[in-house]
Amino acid sequence: MSKLSKQDKIDIYNNWKNYNISANQAAKEYGVNRANLFYLITLVERHGIEILDTGYTNYSVEFKEKAIRRVLFNHEVADQVPLELGLSSRGMIYNWIRKYKEDGYNVINHKKGRPTHEGQRQTDSRASKANKGPQTEELKTYCRERICKKIERLSLTKIERLSLTKNQRPTAQEIVSVVTQLRQELYVTVSFVLDTINSNPDLPHLSRSNYYYTLGKDDKDLKNEKIMKRIKKIFEEHKHRYGYRRITAQLRREGIIVNHKRVKRLMVKMHLYAISIRRRFKYSGYKGTIGKIKPNLIKRHFAAIIPDRHWYSDITEFHLNGEKLYLSPVMDGCSQGIVAYTLSRHPVLKQVMDMLDQAYQKHPALNGLIFHTDQGWQYQHAAFQAWLENHGVSQSMSRKGNSLDDGLMEGFFGILKREMFYGFEKTFKTMDELEQAIKEYIHYYNHDRIKTVLKNHTPIEYRNMVLNKAVQ
């Protein structure tokens, strides 16, 4: 507030009072702190404009001690006490409290100017007294309350942040950080803080030797600061879908060589945990033998050397607000990418036939292709089997009751629902929003999501890489 003249203060108050000029606007115009400006307005509103005529006042020791005790021991709001007392600045009470602690919990009127030798000796004596901590039982009780409250808050924050059981405790590094902060804030000794903590059975204990050991130990993760920032950014970019192994692979793609164990430790330290939700339900289109059952040509040898030699398909359903949505994709056995897909509100034959047409438009060279599915009624239908035969495609089917025979598609459905559906149902208000989210995820899966089985490439990258090598 020292930047403002008396006339400035009067103008600010009048503009606020008569023209509804907010404290924010005035703070920007005059280049001062908004909180201090709001204090000025409240002060004048309470005591009148005459309060601005009050010059420098040398407050007595008794006056300061009474104000300090109202904040520390009566637990009054620190910003309200200076308003009631008519202090020109709210910062005065904070300065008094700071000096009160520095001087060994004694109120002393400090004289301006350079101290004499005698004054310096008195200052040194006061500093020595401050290092001994609070002297009265009232002050000791106040400090103990502050220490216990801070440590309790640390413990509660730790538990809530990690969603752990009540038996979990903060780490030694976290406790040491708070203890050091309390020493500086209360001007007490380490022994005073540690004795207070260790005497309370509900608080995490810390020995004096462990405190100094942890305090003196260099933080080995300071050199990992850049890596930690990049890990967190990757984690957020992929919407918490990447675990430590996949993040390690992404870092190596960017030229950052780091061990997966270090990435795991840093992620735990930053409390970054990938989505992990179990599957809930599975759609089955099997209705018994209604057509010609085909042999199992794949026999769980899912991988293919080049693209468009093994294709896999299945249908899965999504339940949302009492409605159902069906997804029918085609997956390539070489790149494990989604070649084509259709979405429908009902599991009808047209959905599967449209999927075939989409896949054929993208990849018309189908000679020698094996198309593998389960024994769903759509795949036993004469129209479906005729389409495959007319395009030179060999049909393969899983054995009845052997879902592992179609394990590649089952795995994709599990990844899809775990990473964008399970646990996120409330974010989709309508089926249209869910359809759009599925489309976006499949694009993400093909173009952005790396797979370790593909040598840390995305499906599209791996497909192009294999085709380029085949041409060479």
Side-chain angles (χ1 to χ4, degrees):
M1 287 297 183
S2 58
K3 295 175 61 176
L4 301 178
S5 65
K6 177 183 175 182
Q7 188 59 47
D8 288 336
K9 296 176 182 179
I10 294 174
D11 291 341
I12 290 171
Y13 176 74
N14 289 333
N15 288 335
W16 172 83
K17 184 75 173 178
N18 302 321
Y19 302 104
N20 295 324
I21 302 299
S22 68
N24 284 333
Q25 292 175 291
K28 290 180 181 179
E29 180 180 350
Y30 286 89
V32 295
N33 182 272
R34 185 193 68 84
N36 292 338
L37 205 60
F38 185 77
Y39 177 85
L40 167 67
I41 294 172
T42 309
L43 181 69
V44 176
E45 182 73 5
R46 175 171 296 192
H47 297 278
I49 204 73
E50 299 79 13
I51 193 70
L52 300 178
D53 295 328
T54 305
Y56 172 78
T57 304
N58 186 18
Y59 296 99
S60 66
V61 171
E62 293 75 14
F63 182 90
K64 292 181 180 179
E65 185 173 11
K66 185 177 179 180
I68 291 170
R69 287 182 174 276
R70 288 180 62 178
V71 176
L72 294 185
F73 305 119
N74 297 344
H75 305 291
E76 296 186 42
V77 180
D79 283 351
Q80 291 299 321
V81 172
L83 276 175
E84 294 181 9
L85 297 177
L87 301 182
S88 61
S89 170
R90 70 190 184 99
M92 294 176 67
I93 191 70
Y94 294 102
N95 289 333
W96 292 351
I97 292 173
R98 177 176 56 82
K99 287 291 184 182
Y100 179 66
K101 295 175 182 177
E102 287 179 353
D103 291 319
Y105 297 87
N106 290 294
V107 179
I108 298 174
N109 272 333
H110 295 272
K111 296 180 180 180
K112 291 188 176 182
R114 187 173 180 178
T116 61
H117 292 295
E118 181 64 25
Q120 185 65 46
R121 285 194 293 271
Q122 291 177 0
T123 302
D124 294 340
S125 175
R126 289 196 300 267
S128 176
K129 190 175 183 180
N131 289 332
K132 296 179 181 178
Q135 302 300 309
T136 66
E137 285 301 322
E138 185 181 24
L139 292 171
K140 290 179 181 179
T141 301
Y142 161 74
C143 291
R144 291 192 184 102
E145 288 177 354
R146 291 294 305 274
I147 292 169
C148 292
K149 187 175 181 180
K150 196 124 186 173
I151 299 296
E152 285 174 358
R153 191 183 303 123
L154 172 68
S155 303
L156 182 62
T157 302
K158 176 76 173 179
I159 295 169
E160 289 179 340
R161 185 171 63 243
L162 298 180
S163 299
L164 297 174
T165 64
K166 292 185 178 180
N167 293 327
Q168 296 293 337
R169 298 289 185 175
T171 63
Q173 185 67 44
E174 290 174 320
I175 300 174
V176 166
S177 177
V178 173
V179 170
T180 303
Q181 183 180 348
L182 286 167
R183 287 182 58 196
Q184 299 169 350
E185 179 183 338
L186 301 176
Y187 296 94
V188 294
T189 62
V190 176
S191 298
F192 185 88
V193 179
L194 294 180
D195 289 345
T196 302
I197 295 173
N198 295 334
S199 63
N200 191 326
D202 296 328
L203 297 180
H205 293 183
L206 183 71
S207 67
R208 182 184 177 89
S209 59
N210 196 12
Y211 170 79
Y212 282 108
Y213 170 77
T214 307
L215 186 65
K217 185 172 61 176
D218 292 333
D219 187 357
K220 60 182 177 181
D221 289 330
L222 287 176
K223 61 182 180 182
N224 295 323
E225 186 176 354
K226 291 183 178 180
I227 295 178
M228 292 170 72
K229 289 181 179 179
R230 184 57 191 148
I231 288 173
K232 189 172 183 179
K233 189 173 182 180
I234 294 172
F235 186 76
E236 296 297 337
E237 285 175 351
H238 291 270
K239 300 180 179 180
H240 305 188
R241 295 165 179 161
Y242 273 17
Y244 71 94
R245 293 187 183 277
R246 209 177 300 275
I247 287 182
T248 303
Q250 180 62 36
L251 290 172
R252 291 181 177 179
R253 280 165 56 93
E254 299 173 5
I256 303 174
I257 307 302
V258 58
N259 188 277
H260 68 277
K261 294 180 181 179
R262 190 200 302 185
V263 174
K264 181 179 180 180
R265 178 176 60 79
L266 296 177
M267 289 183 68
V268 170
K269 181 173 183 177
M270 293 186 289
H271 315 295
L272 305 180
Y273 303 100
I275 297 170
S276 178
I277 303 176
R278 299 187 58 155
R279 306 179 59 177
R280 301 183 189 174
F281 42 75
K282 175 183 180 296
Y283 166 76
S284 175
Y286 181 72
K287 295 183 180 180
T289 303
I290 61 175
K292 188 175 181 180
I293 302 297
K294 299 295 182 178
N296 184 1
L297 303 179
I298 296 295
K299 297 179 181 179
R300 301 188 186 177
H301 298 298
F302 301 114
I305 299 176
I306 59 176
D308 304 331
R309 287 296 175 266
H310 290 172
W311 279 3
Y312 303 88
S313 187
D314 199 354
I315 298 176
T316 190
E317 66 181 13
F318 297 82
H319 295 234
L320 182 67
N321 300 329
E323 299 181 82
K324 294 181 181 180
L325 179 66
Y326 297 87
L327 169 66
S328 177
V330 177
M331 174 178 279
D332 181 70
C334 176
S335 66
Q336 298 188 16
I338 302 303
V339 177
Y341 65 93
T342 53
L343 291 162
S344 173
R345 304 295 171 89
H346 305 282
V348 294
L349 179 64
K350 184 178 183 301
Q351 178 184 18
V352 178
M353 300 306 294
D354 289 346
M355 174 196 69
L356 290 176
D357 291 336
Q358 286 185 23
Y360 179 70
Q361 290 176 6
K362 293 182 179 179
H363 307 287
L366 303 181
N367 291 329
L369 172 67
I370 297 176
F371 197 105
H372 183 81
T373 64
D374 60 14
Q375 294 186 17
W377 66 267
Q378 298 94 331
Y379 312 123
Q380 297 183 45
H381 199 280
F384 181 87
Q385 296 184 349
W387 191 99
L388 295 182
E389 186 175 352
N390 293 336
H391 289 79
V393 178
S394 301
Q395 187 176 10
S396 172
M397 282 187 175
S398 302
R399 293 166 294 173
K400 179 181 176 182
N402 284 269
S403 60
L404 292 179
D405 287 352
D406 199 22
L408 204 61
M409 282 307 307
E410 296 288 347
F412 168 73
F413 289 151
I415 293 171
L416 167 71
K417 293 184 177 181
R418 183 177 69 248
E419 294 189 352
M420 62 75 55
F421 184 65
Y422 292 147
F424 303 99
E425 292 93 334
K426 292 183 180 180
T427 62
F428 308 119
K429 297 180 181 179
T430 64
M431 275 294 182
D432 292 335
E433 290 185 6
L434 176 58
E435 283 192 29
Q436 183 61 32
I438 293 173
K439 292 176 182 178
E440 291 176 357
Y441 180 84
I442 292 178
H443 182 273
Y444 161 79
Y445 179 87
N446 280 339
H447 294 84
D448 301 317
R449 188 182 186 277
I450 62 175
K451 296 177 70 70
T452 55
V453 295
L454 301 180
K455 301 178 181 178
N456 298 327
H457 291 88
T458 67
I460 294 297
E461 289 175 347
Y462 192 79
R463 179 187 178 89
N464 294 335
M465 182 178 66
V466 172
L467 291 177
N468 289 336
K469 286 184 178 180
V471 171
Q472 294 174 358

